[in-house]
Amino acid sequence: MTELSFIHRFEPATDSSRPPLLLLHGTGGDENDLLGLGRTISPGSALLSPRGKILENGMPRFFRRLAEGVFDEADVKFRANELADFVTEARKAYGLEAPIAVGFSNGANIAAAMLMLRPDALSGAALLRAMVPLSETPPVDLAGKRVLMTSGAMDPIIPADNAKRLAASLSEAGAEVQHHMLPTGHNLSQTDLQLLVKWFSEQSR
Ligand code: MLT
């Protein structure tokens, strides 16, 4: 694997009509976690999968938190920029277009922060169990970016209202947001997969 600023896995595209994916794992995951999901939801896409640099009791994450659902916002900003810089590096190293982020939980939250702070790093995002990552963000133009959000109505970690607020702020910034509130908890369900497959089939050029 090419030496870049994040430990990562990379799988080249086998179908050039499919967009590259930036796979962002949840707390305690790593760069291997979402490769299978990526292959299933967008077969043939290039897959770029970094490992979060923060360790919380040995569990990799993409930014520090003070408690569950309470984020160290200065670190969120620093890490979102650091990850966006990695995407720039990897695009150069592997010859990629701007990827679509596919993030689960902590990975979805850093992807949402990247959209707000470094919108050029991503061409869109699938945010699975995301919440508002920053209490205040500068104005941003997300016109032309498609965002899929899937949330769990019974998610014990993410209040439904918080997920709705994130969806609203992304669409106010101009993104084309599809938000599905599913009758489930924090874990992904078959319905998430079906929605992802459908959304990605509409992304191919
Ligand atoms: C976070 O810390 O990003 C959220 O609480 C989700 C999680 O990773 O548990």
Side-chain angles (χ1 to χ4, degrees):
M1 194 58 43
T2 311
E3 282 282 328
L4 299 177
S5 59
F6 275 68
I7 295 171
H8 68 283
R9 295 269 309 264
F10 175 69
E11 288 189 8
T14 54
D15 178 349
S16 58
S17 70
R18 290 281 190 165
L21 307 189
L22 175 70
L23 301 172
L24 301 169
H25 63 77
T27 301
D30 69 19
E31 66 278 19
N32 300 303
D33 269 31
L34 299 184
L35 292 170
L37 178 76
R39 290 182 204 118
T40 304
I41 61 180
S42 186
S45 275
L47 303 178
L48 177 64
S49 186
R51 184 195 302 178
K53 289 189 180 188
I54 300 302
L55 280 181
E56 183 185 273
N57 302 321
M59 295 186 296
R61 290 175 50 82
F62 286 97
F63 57 82
R64 280 179 224 289
R65 63 180 163 184
L66 308 172
E68 196 170 272
V70 185
F71 301 153
D72 174 341
E73 295 205 10
D75 195 58
V76 175
K77 288 180 193 160
F78 178 81
R79 301 292 166 188
N81 279 297
E82 183 184 47
L83 189 58
D85 291 342
F86 163 74
V87 170
T88 307
E89 248 179 83
R91 285 183 59 188
K92 219 178 272 170
Y94 299 121
L96 302 173
E97 291 173 19
I100 296 181
V102 178
F104 170 63
S105 191
N106 181 244
N109 295 339
I110 194 78
M114 281 169 79
L115 278 174
M116 297 295 198
L117 300 175
R118 292 283 293 271
D120 293 346
L122 301 174
S123 66
L127 307 175
L128 316 172
R129 309 296 182 270
M131 59 192 285
V132 175
L134 291 163
S135 45
E136 277 175 41
T137 44
V140 63
D141 181 7
L142 297 178
K145 305 218 192 270
R146 293 183 67 210
V147 177
L148 173 69
M149 275 184 69
T150 61
S151 304
M154 278 96 78
D155 190 328
I157 299 174
I158 301 168
D161 279 357
N162 187 306
K164 286 182 194 161
R165 265 200 290 133
L166 175 60
S169 61
L170 292 169
S171 45
E172 273 156 31
E176 193 190 315
V177 180
Q178 237 185 67
H179 186 200
H180 300 268
M181 187 60 72
L182 308 177
T184 184
H186 196 65
N187 292 336
L188 298 183
S189 65
Q190 279 304 317
T191 313
D192 287 274
L193 274 183
Q194 285 158 6
L195 290 166
L196 281 159
V197 167
K198 180 160 182 292
W199 188 75
F200 271 103
S201 70
E202 296 159 3
Q203 301 277 341
S204 303
R205 288 151 293 152

